[in-house]
Amino acid sequence: MDKTNSKSSVPFWRLIRIAITVLGFFGMIAHFSQKVNVGIALVCMVNHSAIEQNKLNSPPPTTTLITHTDDNCPQTNSTNHIEGPFIWTKTIQGIILGAYFWGYIITQIPAGYLAGRFGPRYLFGGAMIVSSLVTVFMPLVAHVHWILFCILRLLVGLAHGTIWPCMTVIMAHWAPIHERGKLMGFMNAGAQAGNAFALSIGGLMCSWHIAGGWPFIFYSAAVLGFIWGIIWILFYTNSPRNHRFISIQEKEYILQHTNQQLSDSTKIEFHAPWRAILTSRACWALFIVHTCSNWGTYTFLTSTPKYMNEVLKFNITSNGLLSSVPYIVLWLNINISGFIADVIIRKNLLTTTNTRKLFNILGNLVPAIFVLGLAFMTCQLKYVAVVLLTIGVAFQGCCFGGGYLLVANDIAPAYTGIVFGISNTLATIPGIISPYVVGALTEKDPNNWRIIFFICVAIYIIGMIAFTFLGSGELQPWARTSIAPRVSFENPLSKENDQTVTINNGA
């Protein structure tokens, strides 16, 4: 009855949960525009000719290792590279790409706790404002020293580390159970839209004369993030109970379908079951598949422009546009898989657990197969390689729309911020290691891209197997508790018309 009431009496365009999801979508665009901008910017910030000349002038055996299997490809160095001012080796570039994740890994668990206790309104908005202010200064600092540039990247990572735990808490409060895949999938798809935006537009900005070309990549991402952060703080509230524009019908519908129990108390009582979380088989299955899947995600997220440049020999404009194609298709697949997963669960075609396992298999096995094929591509088959890369990256969307990304909300909605914070902390380790591995291996020999792809395949398979045998999508016994008290403080005056709703958390 509540479901019918909500959908019939409130027009779609007036649903606040839809507005928040769309706003969150643009927040993820802003977030990932800042996260991946360095990947494409480095292609035109670095003086590749000077680096190659230094290699040729250095003693053996370095010069004997600089060989290419793609010598039959036309060499068009004048268009392959826009020469930048910095002579940063591939190892240094790998350190720069990894610096972000050293900051990112630190704030995940604290952010999960803070978002759970105080809500994600100021945490999410404030994180974007801070990271935007730091991003503005990155072009200037890059001219001082690459280590200082790394430090700023680390600070951006510190701010951004709060965002994913916030997103899971947002969905715990605003997404009804049977809409969670669709709404969370759409919001998360903003990350891929941000990837596509940053990579495609960034490649074009390199050749523009606005603000010096590549610095404009950072300035535009900073402005976008700052404006979004202000709008988020002004519009979002930590609970449907306190939003100024929400209808009574929608508020009741959301609260009754997110296992929340209204409370008249303004006292915050939030206790995290750390021992239960860290000894839970369901949690560790999530941690493993998330970490393994992220190895592939971060390898391609940080290194696709480099692969397009070094192996496939695309010029900078084509590099940016083609690097964005996999993420455009990934964005589409996230939304489709989220919708399909919701239908499967709602119609009881599969249990929640088996649905999550199915989508995790699709999101790891299919990418592994296509990445394996990518290992044998050369620049003579560059467009075939782009197709393989696109399909491999796109199928990761099954994990985001219907797979592991939703598991923290499934197994522990009351503590989703903390569970996902721990998971994303471990899953950030590949973001630190992978860029360095790519830089170290490809600096010795470009043929080592094949080794990089073999490593990705093996790790994909490990994660898939772990979740298939250990994973769960069912509410865990230790997580059967109310999650309303942590947000009831925000606007005590709004409670005057609220009623207490009793929910069976075991449902």
Side-chain angles (χ1 to χ4, degrees), residues 13 83 98 180 189 203 206 213 224 236 292 295 324 458 474 486 498:
W13 58 87
E83 300 297 357
R180 191 164 289 158
C206 282
L224 177 63
Y236 180 79
C292 291
W295 181 279
S324 70
E474 306 305 324
R486 72 184 102 160
D498 289 341

Side-chain angles (χ1 to χ4, degrees), residues 221-235:
V223 170
L224 177 63
F226 186 84
I227 293 174
W228 182 89
I230 297 296
I231 295 173
W232 176 262
I233 291 174
L234 292 176
F235 182 78

Side-chain angles (χ1 to χ4, degrees), residues 100-334:
Y100 172 94
F101 298 99
W102 283 107
Y104 192 70
I105 198 172
I106 293 173
T107 47
Q108 296 283 332
I109 297 175
Y113 177 81
L114 293 174
R117 184 167 190 206
F118 300 109
R121 179 183 181 183
Y122 294 105
L123 196 59
F124 196 171
M128 286 307 304
I129 291 172
V130 170
S131 67
S132 299
L133 293 175
V134 174
T135 300
V136 165
F137 292 99
M138 292 183 70
L140 177 64
V141 169
H143 287 280
V144 179
H145 200 281
W146 68 268
I147 292 180
L148 294 178
F149 187 75
C150 281
I151 291 174
L152 290 194
R153 281 294 287 170
L154 186 147
L155 293 177
V156 172
L158 279 171
H160 285 182
T162 65
I163 292 175
W164 279 98
C166 282
M167 193 178 78
T168 61
V169 174
I170 292 165
M171 288 293 102
H173 289 286
W174 282 92
I177 295 172
H178 296 303
E179 297 179 12
R180 191 164 289 158
K182 178 172 58 181
L183 295 181
M184 192 166 187
F186 184 83
M187 182 183 286
N188 168 64
Q192 318 317 322
N195 290 337
F197 173 78
L199 293 172
S200 59
I201 302 301
L204 295 173
M205 286 179 180
C206 282
S207 59
W208 294 353
H209 298 294
I210 303 174
W214 63 264
F216 194 57
I217 297 173
F218 297 97
Y219 298 145
S220 59
V223 170
L224 177 63
F226 186 84
I227 293 174
W228 182 89
I230 297 296
I231 295 173
W232 176 262
I233 291 174
L234 292 176
F235 182 78
Y236 180 79
T237 59
N238 289 325
S239 169
R241 301 179 64 224
N242 308 318
H243 204 285
R244 289 178 296 172
F245 306 119
I246 194 170
S247 66
I248 295 175
Q249 297 96 323
E250 185 186 8
K251 176 168 66 175
E252 291 178 350
Y253 173 68
I254 294 173
L255 293 175
Q256 291 180 21
H257 289 82
T258 52
N259 288 347
Q260 295 195 49
Q261 187 178 38
L262 303 183
S263 171
D264 290 330
S265 173
T266 59
K267 182 180 179 180
I268 305 303
E269 297 175 357
F270 181 66
H271 305 286
W274 295 102
R275 182 184 179 90
I277 291 172
L278 294 176
T279 57
S280 168
R281 188 177 77 168
C283 286
W284 277 102
L286 167 62
F287 301 160
I288 293 170
V289 71
H290 192 175
T291 301
C292 291
S293 182
N294 263 19
W295 181 279
T297 298
Y298 284 135
T299 295
F300 294 114
L301 189 64
T302 59
S303 302
T304 293
K306 183 184 293 189
Y307 173 70
M308 293 280 190
N309 177 63
E310 295 177 359
V311 178
L312 304 185
K313 306 296 179 68
F314 285 109
N315 61 48
I316 184 59
T317 302
S318 299
N319 188 331
L321 292 173
L322 290 172
S323 293
S324 70
V325 169
Y327 296 100
I328 294 173
V329 183
L330 174 58
W331 169 82
L332 182 63
N333 189 34
I334 290 172

Side-chain angles (χ1 to χ4, degrees), residues 8 21 62 66 105 189 224 240 271 344 401 431 447 462 468 504:
S8 62
T21 301
T62 305
I66 307 300
I105 198 172
L224 177 63
H271 305 286
I344 290 174
N447 294 322
I462 291 171
T468 300
N504 180 5

Side-chain angles (χ1 to χ4, degrees), residues 321-454:
L321 292 173
L322 290 172
S323 293
S324 70
V325 169
Y327 296 100
I328 294 173
V329 183
L330 174 58
W331 169 82
L332 182 63
N333 189 34
I334 290 172
N335 286 288
I336 293 174
S337 60
F339 175 80
I340 294 174
D342 280 349
V343 170
I344 290 174
I345 294 172
R346 186 169 63 248
K347 294 189 175 183
N348 294 319
L349 300 177
L350 290 174
T351 64
T352 301
T353 294
N354 288 334
T355 301
R356 301 297 177 234
K357 288 182 178 181
L358 171 63
F359 280 84
N360 278 327
I361 289 172
L362 291 174
N364 285 278
L365 181 60
V366 176
I369 293 171
F370 283 91
V371 169
L372 185 63
L374 200 61
F376 299 96
M377 294 295 105
T378 67
C379 67
Q380 293 172 308
L381 297 169
K382 60 171 68 177
Y383 291 105
V384 177
V386 171
V387 171
L388 294 178
L389 180 64
T390 298
I391 296 174
V393 170
F395 264 87
Q396 291 179 333
C398 293
C399 290
F400 302 150
Y404 71 76
L405 195 67
L406 297 146
V407 169
N409 290 82
D410 292 331
I411 64 176
Y415 309 108
T416 181
I418 294 174
V419 172
F420 194 86
I422 296 171
S423 185
N424 215 26
T425 296
L426 297 173
T428 299
I429 295 173
I432 297 172
I433 300 175
S434 175
Y436 180 78
V437 170
V438 171
L441 287 175
T442 58
E443 187 165 32
K444 294 180 179 180
D445 186 350
N447 294 322
N448 285 340
W449 275 100
R450 182 170 296 179
I451 298 175
I452 292 166
F453 294 138
F454 288 156

Side-chain angles (χ1 to χ4, degrees), residues 2-11 14-15 247 249-250:
D2 293 323
K3 185 173 180 179
T4 304
N5 256 352
S6 168
K7 292 193 174 181
S8 62
S9 59
V10 182
R14 287 186 53 198
L15 294 175
S247 66
Q249 297 96 323
E250 185 186 8

